[in-house]
Amino acid sequence: MIEFPAEYGPQSFSMALVDFGGIMRPALGGAVTRVNRLGNRYRCDVSMPPLELDDGRVFVSRLIRAKSEGLRMEIPLTLGKQGVPGVTATVDGAVAGGTSLPVKGVNAGWVAKEGYWLSIVKSGQHYVHNIAALATADVTGDIVLTITPELRVPLVDGDVVHLAKPMIEGFVDGDSGAWEWSLAHHAMISFALEEAG
């Protein structure tokens, strides 16, 4: 799994939900029905700031490798940090699926606000989720988070949950990985990254 050098963050970063469900419209009228399907995930469109020649070469090399090896990067929390959740959060018990995620090991009293991001690590792969409802950790550091989309893999007790630095991981999508060298000798890099699982 490829990672970019940590000293550079994206200049722009936009997230979108990849939705495998859909709306069913009856041919002869009647009520419209929403069909939900499992497997919804996220993708992001990323533009890096102009990079000096040497740094640009490193980023281009890693972007090329990420097409086949995959890319992992931190989700920039541009609207502020997500409080102080602590660094030892893990799944509390076995969870087969759904939208409730029991977590242990957060700081007592930490407040998870609607719209916060998290990633869960299962077998070395990060899965991104968004927190859908306000929740507060109890005095023992336990909290139950309502998340969206639904879990995509079964979880076991102790799987790591990243709350302070959630990561998105997947493959650079299609022909979107592109770069150019400006006349000022800067690399201009942009790409789309979609979760693999």
Side-chain angles (χ1 to χ4, degrees):
M1 189 58 54
I2 303 299
E3 293 187 15
F4 289 137
E7 59 268 22
Y8 292 98
Q11 176 176 284
S12 68
F13 186 98
S14 62
M15 295 267 293
L17 178 67
V18 179
D19 182 10
F20 292 98
I23 302 292
M24 295 196 58
R25 293 178 176 85
L28 301 175
V32 173
T33 305
R34 165 74 188 177
V35 176
N36 294 313
R37 293 193 176 94
L38 296 176
N40 291 351
R41 63 197 67 182
Y42 293 98
R43 68 174 276 133
C44 59
D45 292 308
V46 181
S47 292
M48 300 303 294
L51 299 168
E52 296 289 338
L53 190 61
D54 287 337
D55 293 328
R57 274 197 285 261
V58 170
F59 271 82
V60 167
S61 174
R62 292 188 187 183
L63 182 64
I64 292 167
R65 290 168 40 213
K67 290 283 283 184
S68 58
E69 296 178 43
L71 176 67
R72 178 184 300 138
M73 63 184 299
E74 184 179 342
I75 296 172
L77 304 174
T78 55
L79 298 178
K81 300 299 180 196
Q82 298 186 160
V84 184
V87 294
T88 60
T90 59
V91 174
D92 189 6
V95 185
T99 59
S100 290
L101 178 66
V103 177
K104 61 185 175 183
V106 301
N107 289 337
W110 176 68
V111 177
K113 296 181 179 177
E114 183 178 358
Y116 278 8
W117 294 96
L118 63 87
S119 61
I120 305 164
V121 182
K122 179 66 179 179
S123 302
Q125 181 172 338
H126 287 254
Y127 295 85
V128 176
H129 294 274
N130 189 263
I131 295 176
L134 185 71
T136 303
D138 65 20
V139 295
T140 65
D142 293 343
I143 189 170
V144 177
L145 301 172
T146 303
I147 59 171
T148 187
E150 292 185 39
L151 291 170
R152 289 164 267 165
V153 292
L155 304 173
V156 297
D157 189 71
D159 284 338
V160 174
V161 180
H162 288 268
L163 296 163
K165 290 176 65 173
M167 308 286 279
I168 185 168
E169 174 178 325
F171 292 100
V172 175
D173 189 32
D175 297 325
S176 65
W179 62 91
E180 67 176 86
W181 297 102
S182 73
L183 295 178
H185 304 288
H186 288 97
M188 312 294 284
I189 300 170
S190 62
F191 58 92
L193 175 65
E194 183 172 329
E195 285 190 277

